C-alpha cells in the first residue's frame, strides 16, 4: 500500500476505486416487498457466490416481464397476450363474472375454489382523495360487458374495507341499471378462527348476517 | 367466445395463448434465498402493478452485477474493481489480516466491530469430500501474502464447525511455517444468551476457556 500522502495517478485510482455495484444491487433488491437491508444483502451474496446463472436468468425474466406484460383486453388481469388464459379458455363460463381488486385475487380464487367463470380485475379501489375514479379502474369496460348482455351473474369479491365497500356499491348500481343480478361473497368469521380473536366489526357483521342451519 | 368445437386459426390462438412470462418470472424469483412460491407471487405482482421502474432498475443492476463483479486481487472479496474498497484504502492496517469464510462475514465484522485491518476471504471451508481443497480456497495467495512478510497477526474468524476448525487448523500451520503469529476470535456463550438454551458443545467449550475476571 502506498502511504496516505502519495497522490495516485488516475489509471491507478480508477482500477482500485471502491466497488459501487454491490451496494447498488443490495439497494435495488430492497424494492421487493418484504425485503429489508439484511435480506437484500443475503440475496446479493447468495446470487454472486452460489448461483450467477440463476441471477442472470432472473434479471432477464424480470426485464422481459416489466416490458412485455400488459393487461388482458377483456378482464384486465396481467398477461403478455391480448387475452389472458382464462378469457381465452372456451371452457370457462363467461356468463359468470367475478369482480376482484387485483391479479393476486384471481390467483387466490383460482387456487382455493372451483369457480369456472370469468373475471374483471379492477386494479384498485375507488378512492377519490387519491385520484382513483371509475376511469382509473376501467369501469367503462365492465359496463360495456354488462350492457352487451350475456352476463347472468356479477359476483363482487372486493375487500370489505371502506373504499372496497364504496367500490362494490358503485358497481352494484351500475349492474342494476342494466338489470344484471349481483351477488357478493360472504363476509364473516374466518373458518378455523376463534371468536375471541376476530375483530369486533367482523363479529357484528357475522352476527347480523346469521343464517338458519 | 367461440364454442369449444370451433378450431381457431393460428393467428388467433397465438394472440390469445396463455401467458407464460408471469409464471416464469414467479418461478425465477424463487432462486432468491428465503423466497417461496407465495412470496415470489407477491413480489411479481407488486413489481408489475406498482413499480415497473424499480423492477427494470433491479433487473439491470442484477445483470450488471452478475457479469461485472469479480473477486479482489488481494483479499478475494466481491468487487468489480481490481482491489476492493478495504484493500485500496491506505488507512487500513494491512499488517493485521482477518481470515473469513465469505464476503458476508466481512460485512458483519465491518458493521459490528472497529477492526481496521485487512481481510482474506476464503469463499468456503476445506471439505475434501466435496472437492474443496486448498486450491479452491486460493490459499496459495494467502501463503504468498504471509511469506512476503509485513503481516504481524493473522486473525482466524472462521465458524467453529468441524470443517471450519479443520480449515483454521490448516491455515494456522501455514502461518506457523513462516512464523506469522495467529489468533482466533473467541468462541463461547453468545452475549445475552441464556445458559440453559446454549448447546452443550458451546457450553463445554466456554467452560474450558474460562478467563480470570
Ligand atoms: Zn382476461
Ligand atoms: Zn480486497
Amino acid at each position: 500500500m502506498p502511504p496516505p500522502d502519495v497522490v495516485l495517478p488516475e489509471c491507478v485510482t480508477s482500477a482500485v476505486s471502491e466497488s459501487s455495484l454491490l451496494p447498488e444491487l443490495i439497494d435495488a433488491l430492497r424494492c421487493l416487498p418484504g425485503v429489508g437491508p439484511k435480506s437484500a444483502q443475503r440475496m446479493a451474496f447468495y446470487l454472486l457466490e452460489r448461483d450467477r446463472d440463476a441471477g442472470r436468468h432472473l434479471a432477464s425474466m424480470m426485464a422481459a416481464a416489466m416490458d412485455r406484460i400488459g393487461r388482458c383486453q377483456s378482464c384486465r388481469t396481467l398477461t403478455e397476450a391480448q387475452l389472458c388464459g382464462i378469457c381465452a379458455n372456451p371452457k370457462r363460463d363467461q356468463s359468470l363474472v367475478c369482480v376482484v381488486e387485483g391479479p393476486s385475487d384471481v390467483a387466490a380464487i383460482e387456487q382455493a375454489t372451483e369457480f369456472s367463470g370469468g373475471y374483471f380485475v379492477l386494479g384498485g379501489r375507488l378512492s377519490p382523495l387519491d385520484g382513483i375514479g371509475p376511469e382509473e379502474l376501467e369501469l367503462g369496460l365492465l359496463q360495456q360487458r354488462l350492457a352487451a348482455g350475456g352476463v347472468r351473474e356479477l359476483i363482487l369479491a372486493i375487500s370489505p374495507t371502506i373504499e372496497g365497500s364504496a367500490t362494490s356499491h358503485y358497481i352494484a348500481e351500475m349492474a342494476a341499471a342494466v338489470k344484471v343480478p349481483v351477488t357478493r361473497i360472504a363476509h364473516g368469521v374466518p373458518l378455523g378462527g376463534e371468536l375471541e380473536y376476530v375483530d369486533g366489526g367482523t363479529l357484528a357483521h357475522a352476527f347480523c348476517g346469521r343464517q338458519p342451519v
Side-chain angles (χ1 to χ4, degrees), chain A residues 188-194:
Chain A
V189 177
L191 287 189
E194 301 234 36

Side-chain angles (χ1 to χ4, degrees), chain A residues 38-166:
Chain A
K38 286 264 174 196
S39 330
Q41 184 180 291
R42 191 155 39 92
M43 287 171 171
F45 285 137
Y46 176 85
L47 292 178
L48 288 165
E49 292 194 284
R50 310 275 185 86
D51 208 346
R52 296 209 182 202
D53 283 344
R56 283 187 196 98
H57 176 68
L58 174 55
S60 88
M61 292 310 306
M62 197 177 289
M66 296 304 126
D67 285 341
R68 285 168 38 203
I69 292 180
R71 297 203 173 268
C72 172
Q73 287 184 348
S74 175
C75 77
R76 312 295 297 158
T77 200
L78 294 166
T79 177
E80 83 263 31
Q82 289 178 262
L83 284 183
C84 74
I86 292 172
C87 289
N89 182 348
K91 292 186 182 144
R92 306 285 302 216
D93 177 1
Q94 298 287 341
S95 74
L96 286 174
V97 176
C98 178
V99 182
V100 294
E101 290 171 40
S104 55
D105 301 316
V106 173
I109 292 171
E110 290 292 300
Q111 282 156 23
T113 76
E114 303 278 290
F115 181 64
S116 64
Y119 290 91
F120 188 82
V121 178
L122 298 170
R125 295 186 277 243
L126 290 175
S127 178
L129 293 179
D130 302 313
I132 301 175
E135 304 73 36
E136 281 68 32
L137 304 184
E138 303 265 10
L139 287 179
L141 199 67
L142 177 60
Q143 192 159 33
Q144 281 171 32
R145 208 160 141 191
L146 296 173
V151 175
R152 64 185 163 97
E153 183 181 347
L154 189 71
I155 302 162
L156 303 177
I158 298 172
S159 306
T161 58
I162 293 174
E163 288 175 350
S165 300

